[in-house]
Amino acid sequence: HYKEKALKNIKELDEIVCISDKQLQFFNDKFEPIVRGKLAKIYNGYDGVPSPDARSLKKLLGIPENDFVFGMVSRGIAEKGWEVAIEAFLKLNAPNTHLVLVGESEYMRALSNSYSSYKNIYFTGHSDKPLDWIKIMDVGLLPTTYPSESLPTIIIEYLCCGIPSVASDAGEIVNMLQYEGKQAGLVVPIVNGSVSVDGVKDAMQRYLTDKKFYEEHKANAELCYNQFDMDKCLASYYNIYYNSILDKIEKQSSN
């Protein structure tokens, strides 16, 4: 009886805040016309800060300072695209490059065993400080096909650390990686439920070989990160509350 219960709740609401176009589309598809005029989109705010000595992790892994590091941080489930990232990196087969994978699960341990012979692929396990690992990366990866993907925090964290991304077009990712006409990532489409290994490899290759293009997207990362400014998020919610309360007062006064 989900829809019946949801309709009852929605009728009682003055506003509904979503964090992605996908969520807006869901409400419009399932609950028009009741949600008409009630929907708003507000991105999550984020204000993470890496540790001052985060770069020391690169030395800990034995990665030379000037080598190029691809990396991925996410939940340890197959749908996030770990194997696509690994296979794309192996097909890239570029010297002085490394792949750092931050996540923990039985699935991740199995992957670690399967790829243990590759000395330039590092499985770090779980981390309570993902930004520290991201700070040693040059490009962040997320070729996810996770069905419920909406506004993945890890993309925000890549942007927070000033690095471009190679990701799928799941959820809100396409919009997250662009702002005011500036791009901070390369997006590989999901086709028939999967992400092309060659597509991810080609995107990685471009960042590795086109220095000007890479630096442009790296500079744009800070601009795109502004979308997730915590003060902007708080102000947007404040306006939602304020205007809703004001409307209710005006309606009561008119009655």
Side-chain angles (χ1 to χ4, degrees):
H1 306 291
Y2 164 73
K3 190 166 186 179
E4 179 184 340
K5 294 176 181 177
L7 283 169
K8 183 175 184 296
N9 289 330
I10 289 170
K11 288 176 182 177
E12 298 296 321
L13 299 175
D14 295 299
E15 296 284 345
I16 300 168
V17 175
C18 300
I19 59 172
S20 69
D21 288 343
K22 181 179 178 181
Q23 292 179 357
L24 290 173
Q25 190 65 49
F26 169 81
F27 279 104
N28 282 319
D29 289 346
K30 302 292 184 183
F31 300 109
E32 267 285 338
I34 297 171
V35 296
R36 194 172 299 158
K38 292 185 176 184
L39 297 176
K41 185 172 84 168
I42 300 175
Y43 278 165
N44 293 336
Y46 189 83
D47 57 3
V49 179
S51 302
D53 60 346
R55 296 292 298 180
S56 64
L57 291 173
K58 197 169 189 178
K59 186 176 181 180
L60 181 68
L61 294 178
I63 298 175
E65 186 58 34
N66 294 324
D67 282 9
F68 200 94
V69 179
F70 295 96
M72 179 169 165
V73 184
S74 193
R75 288 170 54 193
I77 57 175
E79 294 90 339
K80 290 292 183 174
W82 297 97
E83 288 183 82
V84 171
I86 294 169
E87 290 301 321
F89 176 75
L90 292 176
K91 290 192 79 170
L92 185 65
N93 193 29
N96 306 317
T97 60
H98 307 263
L99 179 63
V100 176
L101 304 170
V102 184
E104 177 64 32
S105 66
E106 287 293 334
Y107 168 75
M108 293 299 292
R109 286 189 284 275
L111 282 183
S112 179
N113 290 332
S114 297
Y115 293 96
S116 60
S117 61
Y118 297 95
K119 302 307 178 185
N120 58 345
I121 299 179
Y122 311 82
F123 289 84
T124 72
H126 170 76
S127 175
D128 289 325
K129 297 180 178 181
L131 293 184
D132 289 5
W133 285 108
I134 297 169
K135 285 300 290 184
I136 74 168
M137 300 173 186
D138 296 290
V139 172
L141 307 175
L142 190 68
T144 175
T145 56
Y146 183 57
S148 298
E149 206 74 78
S150 55
L151 191 80
T153 301
I154 190 56
I155 294 292
I156 304 175
E157 290 172 324
Y158 291 156
L159 296 172
C160 173
C161 291
I163 64 170
S165 304
V166 173
S168 70
D169 59 354
E172 190 74 4
I173 291 175
V174 170
N175 293 332
M176 296 171 77
L177 293 176
Q178 61 180 358
Y179 186 61
E180 297 181 347
K182 303 290 187 178
Q183 291 284 140
L186 292 172
V187 175
V188 182
I190 298 172
V191 179
N192 297 323
S194 63
V195 177
S196 164
V197 169
D198 284 332
V200 174
K201 184 264 293 180
D202 290 344
M204 295 165 72
Q205 181 79 48
R206 183 163 189 193
Y207 278 138
L208 186 62
T209 58
D210 190 336
K211 187 69 173 177
K212 182 179 179 182
F213 181 78
Y214 170 75
E215 291 296 337
E216 178 184 322
H217 277 212
K218 184 177 179 181
N220 291 343
E222 183 177 354
L223 179 66
C224 290
Y225 180 56
N226 288 332
Q227 299 177 96
F228 310 98
D229 179 83
M230 185 62 78
D231 289 338
K232 288 182 181 179
C233 176
L234 294 174
S236 296
Y237 275 103
Y238 174 84
N239 289 333
I240 290 283
Y241 299 147
Y242 180 85
N243 291 327
S244 295
I245 293 169
L246 193 63
D247 287 345
K248 194 172 288 289
I249 291 172
E250 289 176 348
K251 287 177 183 177
Q252 289 173 347
S253 299
S254 63
N255 291 334

